[in-house]
Amino acid sequence: DFEIRARRNSRSDDFNALVAAHEAGHAVLYAALFKMVPMEIQINVASFNGGYIMFKEQHLSKEEVLRRIAVCLGGIVAEELLFGPEMRSTGCVSDIQNATSLAAQYVRIYAMGNYSGRIWPEEDGAFADNRTIESSPMIDELVRQQKDTAQEVLTKHRDVLVDLSKQL
């Protein structure tokens, strides 16, 4: 027996269903909003508990940045839609970080919000986007709006979401 086989078998069906639904949420949103399929979707990865999805990296327009924020939130929305809000997992933490970071860049760095220029300095080569400044309510509102977008799209394509979750 290989160690990989033992690790895969140690995960529960409930956990696998949750991860599959989560990753399917990202995939369905990406396909619906960008009109292309993701490059790769994986669950049951031997190196860590969870899954991942890979997208084509590209320079994004203003509208595409908003779509990408919605895609980041697709796993959260899928978990809530299929299992109920009370069953949403802590596995959503990196998605929340990514959505918030992208929304912060939208407002503070790309000047795609209500500002005409950059309003946040670099610190140690990285953008610090977790501090409270006046743009934070704008960022929160962007994330909320894109979560609503994700909810609408996944509700509309619920059958595809369920089918893809089962396949994963």
Side-chain angles (χ1 to χ4, degrees), residues 129-145:
D129 59 0
N130 293 325
R131 301 201 186 171
T132 303
I133 62 173
E134 67 181 52
S135 62
S136 294
M138 287 181 246
I139 292 163
D140 189 57
E141 180 63 16
L142 275 175
V143 173
R144 188 194 59 72
Q145 288 171 354

Side-chain angles (χ1 to χ4, degrees), residues 30 36 39 53-60 68 102:
Y30 185 78
M36 64 176 67
M39 293 171 56
I53 186 164
M54 289 178 52
F55 310 110
K56 180 180 178 189
E57 290 298 320
Q58 58 196 29
H59 292 285
L60 301 173
R68 186 62 66 98
L102 195 50

Side-chain angles (χ1 to χ4, degrees), residues 7-8 10-12 15-16 19 23 42-52 91:
R7 289 191 72 175
R8 283 187 178 152
S10 70
R11 296 189 181 114
S12 73
F15 179 77
N16 286 338
V19 173
E23 299 306 331
Q42 289 289 329
I43 69 165
N44 289 326
V45 181
S47 58
F48 67 95
N49 280 334
Y52 67 88

Side-chain angles (χ1 to χ4, degrees), residues 2 9 18 27 36 42 48-49 57 61 67 69-70 76 80 86 90 100 153-154:
F2 291 107
N9 291 339
L18 180 71
M36 64 176 67
Q42 289 289 329
F48 67 95
N49 280 334
E57 290 298 320
S61 69
R67 291 181 199 157
I69 294 168
I76 295 167
E80 291 176 351
E86 67 285 349
T90 58
T100 305
V153 171
L154 291 181

Side-chain angles (χ1 to χ4, degrees), residues 54-108:
M54 289 178 52
F55 310 110
K56 180 180 178 189
E57 290 298 320
Q58 58 196 29
H59 292 285
L60 301 173
S61 69
K62 188 174 181 176
E63 182 59 37
E64 289 168 333
V65 173
L66 295 175
R67 291 181 199 157
R68 186 62 66 98
I69 294 168
V71 171
C72 287
L73 300 169
I76 295 167
V77 172
E79 287 184 24
E80 291 176 351
L81 185 64
L82 297 182
F83 303 113
E86 67 285 349
M87 295 304 293
R88 188 178 100 188
S89 74
T90 58
C92 298
V93 68
S94 65
D95 294 337
I96 294 167
Q97 286 174 313
N98 291 336
T100 305
S101 178
L102 195 50
Q105 291 173 50
Y106 180 94
V107 170
R108 298 175 178 166

Side-chain angles (χ1 to χ4, degrees), residues 117-167:
R118 183 185 177 109
I119 64 165
W120 197 255
E122 283 188 56
E123 290 184 5
D124 299 346
F127 296 107
D129 59 0
N130 293 325
R131 301 201 186 171
T132 303
I133 62 173
E134 67 181 52
S135 62
S136 294
M138 287 181 246
I139 292 163
D140 189 57
E141 180 63 16
L142 275 175
V143 173
R144 188 194 59 72
Q145 288 171 354
Q146 295 315 304
K147 186 177 181 192
D148 289 347
T149 297
Q151 181 77 41
E152 290 171 21
V153 171
L154 291 181
T155 299
K156 179 180 177 182
H157 298 289
R158 184 184 174 105
D159 291 345
V160 176
L161 176 65
V162 170
D163 288 345
L164 182 56
S165 297
K166 288 178 182 178
Q167 290 299 315

